[in-house]
Amino acid sequence: MCLGIPGKIVSIVKAPLRMAKVSFGGILKEVCLAYCPEAELGDYVVVHAGFAISTLDEKEARKTLDYFDQIGDQQPKVSS
Amino acid sequence: MKYVDEFRDPSSSLKLSAAIADTVSRSWSIMEVCGGQTHSIVRHGLDKLLPDSVSLIHGPGCPVCVTPLEMIDAAIHLASRVDLIFCSFGDMLRVPGTNQDLQQAKAKGGDVRIVYSPLDALEIAKNSPTQEVVFFAVGFETTAPANAMAVYQARENAIDNFSIVVSHVLVPPALHTILSHSDNQVNGILAAGHVCTIMGEEEYVPIANQYGTPIIVTGFEPLDILQGIYLCIKQLERGQANVVNQYSRSVRRHGNTAAKNMINEIFEVVPRSWRGLGKIPKSGLALRDKYSEFDAMRKFNIKTIPAIEPEFCISGQILQGLKKPPECPMFGTVCTPEHPLGATMVSAEGTCSAYFKHRIPLGECSAI
């Protein structure tokens, strides 16, 4: 129950609770957006027990990926 | 950006692995808290990418594993009643109680239904107004907002045939128990990224300070975990003990405020027994008095009876990181996911289950 998987919001219904259809690699699930009021169509959200618990931040994700590149730059010998 | 493949790049894994090896100068033990992280480590063989001097200790972060036996027994008792519908997350169905599990209660005629979300259980209650519907509300801080919302919506919509059995647990008190144990071997911690997505990172600062233990809030993909280990080792080598957020694409400093507010509206902090760890003060959640009408234990007058764990199962020591599955003589022989003896083999997130699934070569399993 605790495994949170990122999925993409493909549609949003606003009543009574704000609900979305979220695609997990093509498999669609109904997800409650009550805790992610900022989430919009096309955003990726982390889903737990039928609730989106965060909207993934692309800028922060890119920073993390850049960090991996930087490691490679600092330590050229390791990739050999 | 799909937030999965980007964080599984094998060449970056090797770079991080080499950076860890270049940084480490002595032996360190790092505990990953969450069962989801344990599975990622074992599934992707991340521990095999580390130098021998770095060992990973698998922590207690599997809600299925730590739900106490007496609560499982109470759930089975309720599920066996003919006058109600019992709803649960699927992974609780095969957790062994003292005499049987929920799956067996269902086979004997109990109306046990698997739901994906507590809102599904609420919907069943709404559509079956003449029947009582009980939901088994277990989990860490990650599932608490979902369960809280179900209760809130039940009140808002006057759905009075809905109630929950609450067995919620909280991560920080368990870390205190582990780090203050006289046999503690944990030098650094990878905190559970999704628990921190809800709660934020601040409640880990006093723990890092008190025990001198660096805590890295870490995600679940292979590169997240390797980066978490690297950041932890860097601090350990420098003698630092700070809280650092590796999983910044999901975790905000203060967590998810809307979710935290709903948890506080519905639940209060109480002492809670953990399977394998015993009773821990302030380590669980229970319904506040003003929502007690939704407490199934009260509604159906269920009293828990202290239950005794099987002596031969070492899941308690596994949950504290004191032992690993292959050290158990029952592992993979008498105890398998098909016939689990203890909590850590039952859940897909359990450490024994992860080792069984990913570490026993085909043909070496003598399951009976």
Side-chain angles (χ1 to χ4, degrees):
Chain A
M1 82 199 62
C2 217
L3 300 173
I5 308 163
K8 185 180 183 178
I9 297 176
V10 295
S11 69
I12 296 177
V13 186
K14 289 199 171 133
L17 280 172
R18 193 163 177 256
M19 300 292 290
K21 278 205 165 45
V22 174
S23 169
F24 300 93
I27 297 165
L28 292 181
K29 287 271 186 193
E30 289 261 321
V31 169
C32 181
L33 296 182
Y35 299 129
C36 289
E38 74 289 348
E40 295 295 347
L41 213 60
D43 283 346
Y44 277 79
V45 285
V46 174
V47 177
H48 267 271
F51 284 73
I53 58 168
S54 73
T55 307
L56 288 166
D57 184 329
E58 186 166 347
K59 209 168 125 192
E60 288 295 328
R62 292 208 181 280
K63 268 196 222 170
T64 306
L65 294 172
D66 288 346
Y67 185 94
F68 303 145
D69 288 343
Q70 216 181 11
I71 291 260
D73 293 343
Q74 283 169 357
Q75 320 234 359
K77 63 176 180 172
V78 299
S79 54
S80 60
Chain B
M1 177 84 71
K2 290 185 175 171
Y3 300 95
V4 177
D5 292 346
E6 298 90 341
F7 295 89
R8 294 184 178 183
D9 173 46
S11 64
S12 293
S13 293
L14 292 174
K15 284 181 207 167
L16 279 163
S17 155
I20 291 166
D22 281 351
T23 306
V24 71
S25 70
R26 48 160 289 191
S27 293
W28 299 111
S29 294
I30 297 173
M31 172 178 272
E32 84 280 359
V33 169
C34 179
Q37 293 167 326
T38 303
H39 263 260
S40 193
I41 288 164
V42 179
R43 179 182 171 199
H44 297 285
L46 303 180
D47 48 339
K48 308 282 184 195
L49 292 175
L50 301 176
D52 291 343
S53 50
V54 177
S55 55
L56 295 179
I57 293 177
H58 311 309
C62 160
V64 180
C65 303
V66 301
T67 302
L69 194 50
E70 52 262 37
M71 293 306 289
I72 305 285
D73 285 343
I76 292 165
H77 178 80
L78 275 167
S80 302
R81 288 175 62 135
V82 291
D83 57 344
L84 59 77
I85 299 169
F86 193 86
C87 299
S88 170
F89 294 125
D91 39 9
M92 294 307 292
L93 260 67
R94 288 183 44 261
V95 183
T98 302
N99 297 313
Q100 58 176 334
D101 58 31
L102 282 168
Q103 186 85 20
Q104 288 164 321
K106 181 180 166 75
K108 288 176 187 168
D111 191 347
V112 180
R113 302 187 192 181
I114 295 174
V115 293
Y116 164 67
S117 161
L119 291 184
D120 297 340
L122 190 63
E123 192 65 20
I124 292 170
K126 201 169 148 188
N127 295 331
S128 317
T130 58
Q131 270 196 292
E132 288 290 333
V133 175
V134 177
F135 177 69
F136 198 7
V138 299
F140 282 92
E141 292 93 327
T142 39
T143 48
N147 295 337
M149 180 62 85
V151 171
Y152 186 80
Q153 289 296 321
R155 165 71 62 81
E156 285 286 294
N157 296 291
I159 303 173
D160 58 9
N161 59 327
F162 176 78
S163 58
I164 64 176
V165 175
V166 189
S167 190
H168 265 295
V169 282
L170 302 168
V171 168
L175 294 185
H176 277 291
T177 298
I178 289 165
L179 293 173
S180 61
H181 196 285
S182 56
D183 290 336
N184 172 48
Q185 298 156 17
V186 177
N187 304 119
I189 283 178
L190 306 185
H194 291 147
V195 167
C196 295
T197 294
I198 301 292
M199 303 304 289
E201 50 186 277
E202 287 163 322
E203 59 185 351
Y204 293 87
V205 174
I207 299 175
N209 290 339
Q210 183 175 343
Y211 301 98
T213 307
I215 299 179
I216 316 297
V217 176
T218 304
F220 297 81
E221 295 300 336
L223 295 185
D224 290 324
I225 290 167
L226 288 171
Q227 188 189 8
I229 293 167
Y230 177 53
L231 295 172
C232 195
I233 298 278
K234 280 212 308 194
Q235 284 203 47
L236 287 167
E237 290 286 338
R238 292 173 186 165
Q240 296 171 332
N242 301 315
V243 176
V244 170
N245 180 10
Q246 180 281 328
Y247 196 38
S248 58
R249 64 187 183 278
S250 180
V251 177
R252 273 103 232 185
R253 188 172 178 75
H254 303 291
N256 183 322
T257 309
K260 283 202 291 189
N261 288 345
M262 185 59 83
I263 293 174
N264 287 334
E265 165 65 22
I266 304 294
F267 295 121
E268 61 184 348
V269 175
V270 294
R272 184 69 77 191
S273 288
W274 293 53
R275 201 167 194 172
L277 296 179
K279 197 161 194 170
I280 305 177
K282 299 180 186 172
S283 71
L285 297 173
L287 284 166
R288 287 189 184 278
D289 278 347
K290 61 177 172 171
Y291 289 97
S292 62
E293 73 210 69
F294 299 102
D295 182 352
M297 301 289 280
R298 188 168 150 153
K299 195 173 197 175
F300 299 101
N301 196 24
I302 307 292
K303 303 273 180 249
T304 55
I305 300 161
I308 299 162
E309 296 282 351
E311 277 176 27
F312 41 78
C313 177
I314 64 164
S315 60
Q317 289 159 289
I318 303 261
L319 286 166
Q320 291 178 75
L322 300 174
K323 286 198 171 164
K324 288 200 171 163
E327 294 174 61
C328 176
M330 306 289 171
F331 173 73
T333 56
V334 178
C335 183
T336 66
E338 284 298 304
H339 300 283
L341 293 181
T344 43
M345 184 60 94
V346 172
S347 164
E349 293 163 51
T351 303
C352 293
S353 157
Y355 272 70
F356 185 90
K357 193 171 172 193
H358 301 294
R359 287 289 154 83
I360 295 187
L362 284 176
E364 284 189 23
C365 166
S366 54
I368 55 173

